[in-house]
Amino acid sequence: MTEKLGILAIGHGSKLPFNKEVVTQIADYISQKHSDVVVRAGFMENSEPTLQKAIDGFSGTGVTKVAAVPVFLASGVHITKDIPAILNLDDNGCGTLEIDGREVPLCYAGPLGADELIADLVFKRVQEVL
């Protein structure tokens, strides 16, 4: 059986549209660059789709494993407590999702964190403004 990866991009959400737009665009960029991957975006609060609705969006796609990744810069309560509880993750950050009546493995990535790519992006924004 061929593996088919699903990516669950998790955003914080906001009453304003900007967070949703950014997280959704990031998910779209991943989809465009990796056409063999199924990407869904879901949000913790104040934005749709919710995390559960995004998970439901994998139905009918044939994904055989899912990686959940918080599109957050750093860890906080959502990253360390709320999301692992919602996804019912074990101590190793893994679990399963039920998709189309099948148990599909799920693993949870860390937040974006400090990375040279982020530093390059910050420098790019500086150059744009100057």
Side-chain angles (χ1 to χ4, degrees):
M1 180 169 130
T2 304
E3 294 287 334
K4 186 166 187 181
L5 175 61
I7 296 176
L8 177 61
I10 304 170
H12 186 279
S14 173
K15 291 178 183 175
L16 299 174
F18 311 114
N19 178 268
K20 179 179 180 174
E21 291 168 357
V22 168
V23 174
T24 301
Q25 185 62 61
I26 289 169
D28 289 346
Y29 286 148
I30 296 168
S31 291
Q32 291 165 14
K33 289 185 177 189
H34 305 278
S35 59
D36 57 331
V37 174
V38 178
V39 185
R40 299 291 183 261
F43 299 89
M44 292 301 298
E45 44 186 84
N46 299 313
S47 295
E48 291 285 330
T50 63
L51 207 47
Q52 186 56 56
K53 287 180 184 175
I55 292 167
D56 294 344
F58 287 116
S59 180
T61 65
V63 297
T64 58
K65 59 185 174 181
V66 175
V69 60
V71 185
F72 290 58
L73 280 178
S75 288
V77 173
H78 282 323
I79 303 294
T80 61
K81 303 273 187 227
D82 299 338
I83 296 169
I86 291 167
L87 298 177
N88 198 30
L89 301 175
D90 64 21
D91 291 339
N92 295 318
C94 293
T96 60
L97 296 173
E98 185 172 323
I99 301 173
D100 297 329
R102 297 175 293 117
E103 292 290 313
V104 175
L106 164 75
C107 286
Y108 182 50
L112 302 177
D115 187 287
E116 286 185 41
L117 293 171
I118 303 269
D120 290 344
L121 181 57
V122 169
F123 191 75
K124 177 182 175 186
R125 295 293 181 251
V126 168
Q127 290 175 314
E128 290 169 353
V129 76
L130 298 178

